[in-house]
Amino acid sequence: MNVEYRVLGPLEVLRDGVPVPVPAGRGRVLLTTLLLRPNRFVSVDELVERLWDGEPPTLDRAHKTLQMVVRRLRMALDDANCVRTATGGYLAEVDPERLDLTRFRRLAAAGEFAAALAHWRGDVASNVVSAHLHREDVPPLVEERLVVHGRRIEADLARGRGAELVGELRELTAAHPLREGFWAQLVQALHQAGRQGEALAAYEEIREHLDEELGVEPGPPLRDLRARLLDRTGTPQQLPAVPEHFAGRGAELTKLTEVTTSGAAVVITAVDGTAGIGKTTLAVRWAHAVADRFSDGQLYADLRGFDPASAPADPAEVLASFLGAFGVSGGAVPADLPERAALYRSVLADRRVLVLLDNARDVEQVRPLLPAGRGCLVVITSRNRFTGLVVREGAVPLTLGVLGPQDAAALLSARLGAARVAAEPGAVADLVAFCAGLPIALAVAASRAAEEPGLSLRALVDELTSAGGLMSQVEAVFATSCSQLDDDTALLFRLLGLPTGPDISLDAATALDGRGRADVRRSLQRLANMHLVAERSRGRYVVHDLVREYACSLHDQDSAEDRDAAVRRLLDFCLHSVDNADRLLRRSRPDLELLPLPAGVRPVRFEDSAVAAAWCEAEHDNLLAVVRLAGAHGLHAHAWQLATVMFGYLSLRQRPAERIELYRVAVAAARAAGDRYAEGVTVHSLANALSMLGSFPEAAVEYAAALRVREEIGHLHGIAVTLDQWAINHAMSGDLAAAKAMHERAIAKRREQGSPSGLAIALNNYSMTLVGLREFDAALVVNDEARAVVREAGMIDASASTLDTRGMLLLERGDLTEAVATFRQVLALPADQLPDSIKTVTLENLADAHLRAGRQEDAVVALRAALVLRETMGNVRAAEKIRAQLAELSGGDR
């Protein structure tokens, strides 16, 4: 006879595989209590407590009843009985291999997690009625199961099975939303599956849960995992999520697929059609279907060609983003568009990459973004036809028309169910005709019907009034959906018509709206359910161009004061969030008294500089948009302060072209506000951006203007900074004599100001100009003073740069032995005093010194170390230069 006992699911006793009836009520409670403590004594008092859920009758009666329950249970189990009597109690005497609980624990201890979990058939003792048992005994077992489940997933992740685990982990995180371990595994699984954006979105989701439920941030393991993901440069996976509802377009999908087999070096497909026709939906759907053919990744950019809330995307900025996806960032990205495009083509030359350029405005915007590598595929969507691209680049055109009756009905069926659509064919035909076969209108109308399952489609058609043109009909569909919104959600919808940028985060929407985060999330979800917004990724929402235009048309329903208050809240949120990021991204910065943070506005706070930079990157286009929005609403202080606190992030990106645009807006705002201090700050920043771009004469004009303002208001620190930066501008333009005179003025102001850090920087810059003038003795004297200031002020973060400058002085003067010794001093500094940027330059200078001394092998060692750092920093152009130099030196050996 083979008897088996089961508690990991409904209580069961099996004799030779056949269930043995177990008495309901207290009999099941008794057996379960004993089996959960196999081969362990359980006192009568404890059993009484369990059998009567803590409220037993008199002690004598309870004991007699317990004895009767034991007798009945033994009789029912017969030869499968395991209940044994002990002094003062009972125990379940079972072979550990005959009880699923003990087998589960043995297998888990042996690391056979999948086999252990296979013993679970459902909730513990789910057919046993006992509040006490389910309150006291079951939760620890559930915890055991979750721990083992987590270990099994951990083992699967170690085997690289992340893609297979995503669905399972989605269910686990939904069932256990505050269990950080499962969230960390979900992030890892999505990362392994190449879904980097979704991995970061999952982190944001658990962060929001913890913040709302417990008021805490994720623990160190999750934060460390996110930081590693942010630091990783690998295969980009940038495609938006697959559309939830899609129907029809069979011929178009087939044509797109045929294009990929055309044999062209670079396949380009241009999908055009009117607004709301479904171009993006089609392109994204198809791109996901063929993504596995492009082993080196997928790039995506919304070019915002027709977005009423944002300016069209600058191709130079898109290129910078694409290059960053392949590890080329910061100073490695060329300043001008042609060089940037050339580097982009080089990076993709030997790669198989799918590039989706969405909502393109014209050929000029798209052409720089076309790769040249064989095996790449480009899909472009636009309201315009790109005839020039077809003629010159051989693009394959694909024009989308409205959905035919059959495809339109299929779209409605996907949203509402086939039965509901089939029940009213006449109403469906009228609804399709009213929406003119336009997918966005059909989607919104279907969402309206889905909101009210009891609403007949005929009644919905009747709600939609007749209109003269297509756009009027679309607006009528929007209006019908909006009429179902509560007042708060309707107001948020109208506010989303403001030009706040290409998308909006939940945090920013909360600030714009002014209500609590949970209420705003519910409203956004309501809007998403009605297809009035789309949740592109967790916590980030986009509004279709047509919907935004409609929302904007409703602004007369709100007072100008209410709109201005909403804009001010959003600007306060952005200003203080960016300021929090800037404090992490800049080691030192001038004091800036920000506009006060109003009560109720919660800016984002960051754990470290990597997270801060990633947030700024995600919000980049939105931040540029809100600076313009501030100017449009006359909130000039917000405009110039936002531009100013963005300095650290923009310097990190090293994108001078966009800095020029931003600071022109900031300068105009400062002047409109009549704020002379702000004018000095913003004009100086504009001059810096122009100088970085190489526009030295124009930069000099702005430096002169900034200096006039700062001298007029007596801003001593500002005067010194402008003089110093203007001197560098002269030196970069080749006018070293003018640079020398300007440096001397800057140093005099620094001495007057009494700022050690400023003086050290000014002296160090001056010494470099003196080297250019070949005034080596004077340069060494100035450098000696700079280093003395650094030592006296305890400025350990400046010691590396001033010492490296000294090495360069010695090198140019011909003191090779001293130069080498000095560079080695720099490299011997502690890691916290030697940033990688300075370490790399020092290694390259050391290699130069070795070569001049004829020590080629030593130079190669230094260059190889520099190459590793350049590659780690993503500086592709500098790395290529070092490789070429190493190749030349190797050739010399032969």
Side-chain angles (χ1 to χ4, degrees):
M1 181 183 67
N2 183 10
V3 180
E4 185 178 356
Y5 304 93
R6 296 179 177 180
V7 291
L8 302 182
L11 171 67
E12 290 182 346
V13 178
L14 303 177
R15 182 195 298 112
D16 295 327
V18 178
V20 176
V22 179
R26 294 191 178 101
R28 291 185 183 179
V29 176
L30 173 64
L31 181 60
T32 302
T33 301
L34 295 174
L35 288 174
L36 291 180
R37 300 160 178 77
N39 300 306
R40 282 172 45 200
F41 169 78
V42 183
S43 70
V44 168
D45 290 343
E46 184 176 352
L47 288 171
V48 167
E49 186 78 8
R50 296 301 170 99
L51 264 60
W52 277 272
D53 274 334
E55 297 181 1
T58 63
L59 187 62
D60 181 60
R61 181 180 172 189
H63 284 193
K64 290 180 179 178
T65 304
L66 173 61
Q67 292 170 357
M68 182 180 68
V69 171
V70 171
R71 282 197 301 271
R72 290 179 57 197
L73 178 60
R74 285 171 170 168
M75 290 175 61
L77 295 176
D78 195 16
D79 52 3
N81 173 49
C82 62
V83 180
R84 302 290 180 260
T85 302
T87 304
Y90 300 88
L91 76 157
E93 187 177 80
V94 294
D95 181 342
E97 289 303 306
R98 301 299 181 191
L99 176 62
D100 57 359
L101 174 60
T102 47
R103 288 199 305 272
F104 161 74
R105 286 171 171 163
R106 176 182 60 78
L107 290 166
E112 299 180 37
F113 305 124
L117 291 169
H119 284 83
W120 285 77
R121 298 165 292 112
D123 295 334
V124 176
S126 56
N127 58 344
V128 178
V129 179
S130 170
H132 202 294
L133 184 144
H134 289 286
R135 183 176 63 250
E136 301 294 334
D137 291 336
V138 171
L141 285 175
V142 173
E143 180 63 23
E144 274 190 68
R145 180 187 188 182
L146 291 174
V147 169
V148 174
H149 204 151
R151 289 175 179 166
R152 195 226 80 210
I153 292 172
E154 194 174 302
D156 287 343
L157 285 170
R159 298 185 184 99
R161 297 176 178 172
E164 305 168 24
L165 298 170
V166 172
E168 178 182 5
L169 284 164
R170 292 278 192 203
E171 293 178 2
L172 286 168
T173 52
H176 308 280
L178 298 179
R179 198 175 186 91
E180 292 187 48
F182 286 144
W183 283 99
Q185 290 174 333
L186 174 59
V187 171
Q188 289 178 279
L190 288 166
H191 168 60
Q192 282 190 8
R195 294 153 69 174
Q196 183 85 343
E198 291 181 64
L200 294 173
Y203 175 88
E204 289 303 314
E205 188 171 353
I206 178 57
R207 185 187 68 79
E208 290 171 8
H209 279 316
L210 292 172
D211 181 44
E212 290 182 2
E213 298 295 330
L214 305 175
V216 299
E217 287 292 313
L222 256 175
R223 294 203 305 271
D224 292 346
L225 176 60
R226 183 177 190 267
R228 291 199 300 273
L229 292 179
L230 290 170
D231 289 341
R232 179 183 180 271
T233 55
T235 303
Q237 308 284 339
Q238 297 183 352
L239 294 178
V242 180
E244 183 180 1
H245 300 294
F246 183 86
R249 302 298 192 193
E252 291 87 348
L253 289 169
T254 299
K255 183 172 182 179
L256 285 170
T257 302
E258 290 172 351
V259 168
T260 62
T261 60
S262 67
V266 179
V267 178
I268 305 171
T269 302
V271 182
D272 65 85
T274 190
I277 203 69
K279 302 180 294 295
T280 298
T281 300
L282 173 72
V284 171
R285 173 84 174 203
W286 180 79
H288 274 282
V290 300
D292 59 349
R293 304 182 191 180
F294 300 91
S295 55
D296 295 306
Q298 305 93 45
L299 298 172
Y300 172 83
D302 180 356
L303 300 183
R304 306 192 305 273
F306 307 91
D307 189 339
S310 303
D314 182 349
E317 285 306 303
V318 176
L319 283 171
S321 173
F322 283 176
L323 288 168
F326 285 103
V328 186
S329 58
V333 178
D336 67 328
L337 177 60
E339 284 190 32
R340 219 171 259 195
L343 178 59
Y344 167 70
R345 290 191 295 271
S346 297
V347 169
L348 267 63
D350 299 319
R351 289 181 163 102
R352 291 183 59 82
V353 178
L354 187 157
V355 183
L356 176 50
L357 304 174
D358 200 14
N359 297 316
R361 187 171 187 83
D362 50 38
V363 173
E364 287 68 29
Q365 187 187 32
V366 165
R367 194 163 272 138
L369 307 177
L370 301 178
R374 179 174 293 276
C376 288
L377 168 68
V378 183
V379 181
I380 305 163
T381 74
S382 178
R383 295 184 192 179
N384 295 327
R385 290 187 179 180
F386 286 174
T387 305
L389 213 60
V390 173
V391 173
R392 282 185 51 182
E393 279 77 16
V396 178
L398 176 62
T399 300
L400 287 191
V402 297
L403 291 174
Q406 187 173 352
D407 284 348
L411 179 62
L412 293 173
S413 294
R415 187 72 177 85
L416 302 176
R420 188 173 179 188
V421 171
E424 296 186 74
V428 168
D430 290 346
L431 182 59
V432 169
F434 182 84
C435 293
L438 202 62
I440 188 171
L442 286 163
V444 175
S447 297
R448 166 76 180 92
E451 286 285 316
E452 291 189 44
L455 179 70
S456 72
L457 298 184
R458 172 55 59 195
L460 175 60
V461 172
D462 291 342
E463 282 187 25
L464 302 171
T465 57
S466 299
L470 176 60
M471 288 311 302
S472 296
Q473 291 171 258
V474 173
E475 289 181 2
V477 175
F478 295 160
T480 302
S481 291
C482 288
S483 69
Q484 305 302 311
L485 300 175
D486 60 88
D487 291 344
D488 288 332
T489 303
L491 174 58
L492 175 59
F493 174 72
R494 295 193 295 273
L495 290 175
L496 292 176
L498 290 166
T500 56
D503 66 3
I504 191 166
S505 68
L506 174 59
D507 290 327
T510 300
L512 182 70
D513 182 283
R515 289 179 292 151
R517 183 188 181 91
D519 291 331
V520 174
R521 176 188 279 155
R522 280 191 289 271
S523 288
L524 286 168
Q525 191 56 53
R526 170 83 166 149
L527 293 171
N529 291 341
M530 302 185 76
H531 283 266
L532 293 172
V533 303
E535 191 171 12
R536 173 173 288 172
S537 61
R538 176 69 183 180
R540 299 199 73 84
Y541 299 85
V542 293
V543 185
H544 190 282
D545 298 354
L546 293 181
V547 179
R548 192 187 289 272
E549 288 177 12
Y550 177 70
C552 187
S553 73
L554 303 177
H555 280 173
D556 58 359
Q557 296 184 20
D558 307 308
S559 68
E561 291 78 11
D562 287 344
R563 280 197 307 277
D564 287 344
V567 169
R568 187 182 292 274
R569 287 193 300 269
L570 176 63
L571 292 172
D572 287 326
F573 164 80
C574 292
L575 174 62
H576 287 271
S577 295
V578 178
D579 182 63
N580 289 340
D582 191 53
R583 292 177 186 277
L584 292 171
L585 298 174
R586 278 202 270 180
R587 287 190 176 185
S588 60
R589 66 175 200 168
D591 290 333
L592 178 64
E593 187 177 347
L594 293 183
L595 293 163
L597 179 66
V601 176
R602 295 179 61 189
V604 180
R605 301 189 183 279
F606 310 98
E607 300 109 6
D608 53 45
S609 58
V611 176
W615 182 87
C616 290
E617 186 72 30
E619 296 291 345
H620 175 72
D621 291 327
N622 296 322
L623 293 173
L624 296 180
V626 296
V627 171
R628 301 186 196 101
L629 182 64
H633 279 255
L635 299 171
H636 304 303
H638 285 88
W640 79 261
Q641 288 193 6
L642 255 172
T644 301
V645 296
M646 286 174 70
F647 180 87
Y649 163 64
L650 292 173
S651 297
L652 196 67
R653 286 172 63 103
Q654 296 189 27
R655 312 260 180 94
E658 66 184 21
R659 288 175 65 182
I660 289 170
E661 178 206 354
L662 177 68
Y663 287 119
R664 288 198 192 283
V665 174
V667 169
R671 286 173 174 161
D675 188 329
R676 299 285 279 163
Y677 171 82
E679 184 179 357
V681 170
T682 54
V683 175
H684 174 87
S685 297
L686 174 60
N688 280 348
L690 289 165
S691 184
M692 281 186 63
L693 195 61
S695 302
F696 303 122
E698 191 177 354
V701 171
E702 299 300 340
Y703 280 127
L707 185 61
R708 281 196 303 272
V709 172
R710 288 176 156 179
E711 287 178 336
E712 288 171 9
I713 64 175
H715 183 200
L716 194 57
H717 171 77
I719 293 169
V721 170
T722 297
L723 286 169
D724 195 39
Q725 293 296 313
W726 194 357
I728 294 172
N729 186 71
H730 279 311
M732 291 172 66
S733 70
D735 191 350
L736 295 176
K740 179 180 179 180
M742 195 70 72
H743 277 306
E744 290 171 351
R745 291 177 61 189
I747 290 168
K749 284 296 178 185
R750 287 297 192 186
R751 295 189 197 283
E752 182 183 348
Q753 181 192 2
S755 167
S757 60
L759 178 60
I761 293 169
L763 288 167
N764 202 44
N765 291 334
Y766 183 32
S767 63
M768 294 299 297
T769 294
L770 290 172
V771 170
L773 288 166
R774 315 296 290 178
E775 298 179 17
F776 298 121
D777 291 341
L780 283 171
V781 171
V782 172
N783 180 255
D784 282 342
E785 184 181 358
R787 293 176 60 222
V789 172
V790 166
R791 283 194 302 271
E792 291 169 9
M795 299 162 53
I796 60 173
D797 58 337
S799 57
S801 60
T802 53
L803 190 56
D804 179 70
T805 299
R806 184 177 185 81
M808 291 180 65
L809 298 176
L810 295 165
L811 178 63
E812 293 303 319
R813 194 172 72 169
D815 296 335
L816 300 183
T817 301
E818 285 190 58
V820 168
T822 304
F823 290 137
R824 283 176 172 162
Q825 273 186 270
V826 176
L827 297 173
L829 289 171
D832 62 343
Q833 298 179 31
L834 184 59
D836 283 349
S837 57
I838 295 178
K839 184 177 181 180
T840 308
V841 171
T842 302
L843 284 166
E844 293 167 356
N845 289 336
L846 177 61
D848 189 10
H850 283 315
L851 286 174
R852 295 190 195 191
R855 293 187 293 269
Q856 184 168 312
E857 290 184 2
D858 291 338
V860 168
V861 171
L863 285 172
R864 284 175 176 164
L867 177 61
V868 171
L869 284 173
R870 289 295 188 191
E871 289 177 334
T872 302
M873 295 163 63
N875 198 325
V876 174
R877 295 175 72 193
E880 288 177 353
K881 184 178 178 180
I882 295 175
R883 285 195 201 94
Q885 191 174 1
L886 285 168
E888 184 180 345
L889 291 173
S890 298
D893 287 341
R894 292 195 296 270

